Amino acid sequence: MILSVSRRTDIPNYYSEWFINRIREGYLYVRNPMNFHQISKIDLSPRIVDCIVFWTKNPLPLMDQLDELKDYKYYFQFTLTGYGKDIEPGLPDKKKEMTDIFRRLSEKTGKEKVIWRYDPIFFTDRYTPEYHIKAFREIAKTLQGYTDKVVISFLDLYAKTKKNMKGIQVEHLEDSKLFEFAAALSKIAGENKMRIAACAEETDLSEYGIERNCCIDKELIEKITGYKITAKKDKNQRSECGCMESVETGSYHTCQNACRYCYANESDEKVSSNCRIYDPQSPLLCGIITEEDKITERKVKSFKEEQISIFDIMGSDKRL
């Protein structure tokens, strides 16, 4: 099983105590967002969890507790953009704090386990292509040697995103200008010894040296774990998404970053309401279990490939 921690909220930033308690207890509960009273119990045994993929804009609260994960394999998707407080009001200063935190995490875990995300990208009268290119270049220079890869994506206007971005006039960039912009980012990434990939984009940018990304990356997970995995493409994600199947651990309407482009929060009021019932000792993140809830143990297993293929045997013979 691959554990996603989390696409729905920033667990390393705000709920690291809860997550570490869940690791110690060996299980957690996840409420089904499509069926409120359906709760899944997820086994967190190291023999079942092949890899944990963390998604965060600030891993600092978790960093001092990484020793608790010594029996697990993991990597981080670390979002670090050029937006100001008008777009990302809940985050510390990028230059003064966040780039240093990124480097410290890289030194602690290894640079292959920290992927830089500069996304989502959108354009306004303030956040012009020129602005993004300058910000991307400055961050890339600062992170050179601390990551092998940067991921970009362009804003998708989901219903919650439209609501959260009310009052922000997003400007459309014609294709020729968009390709020019993408080429500029690719050049900067290369100059700073990073691969660059695009996340869930319909447009093929390979002509500009930009790969198609897999956030839940089978190749990277096999490299980190040291064994082949049998995970398949996640059928619950968009067709453009290259992610492998994973188990989500987070809850919607709980992220306190308050980013204006957020697709996971309905409103600040709903986030505040959920945060008031946060209990780091509870198996359920920001939730209360009621008599109406039905808890079912989800069937999960390791994706570790048990059988050795003829190609592996031939490869071993060659090494001998």
Side-chain angles (χ1 to χ4, degrees), residues 84-96:
K85 291 283 187 179
D86 58 327
I87 302 298
E88 296 175 340
L91 300 180
D93 186 274
K94 310 293 180 60
K95 291 182 179 179
K96 294 179 180 177

Side-chain angles (χ1 to χ4, degrees), residues 298-315:
R298 181 165 174 174
K299 293 180 180 179
V300 291
K301 63 179 182 179
S302 169
F303 289 129
K304 184 176 182 179
E305 189 174 283
E306 298 293 343
Q307 292 184 329
I308 300 176
S309 73
I310 186 67
F311 301 104
D312 293 324
I313 295 171
M314 291 173 65

Side-chain angles (χ1 to χ4, degrees), residues 30-44:
V30 179
R31 191 180 292 281
N32 185 338
M34 307 303 292
N35 186 343
F36 185 79
H37 291 295
Q38 181 180 319
I39 294 175
S40 294
K41 181 180 180 181
I42 310 297
D43 187 345
L44 298 180

Side-chain angles (χ1 to χ4, degrees), residues 226-243:
Y227 55 78
K228 291 185 178 180
I229 62 169
T230 58
K232 296 180 173 59
K233 186 182 183 304
D234 192 336
K235 62 183 179 182
N236 295 315
Q237 301 298 326
R238 292 172 291 168
S239 59
E240 298 85 10
C241 177
C243 286

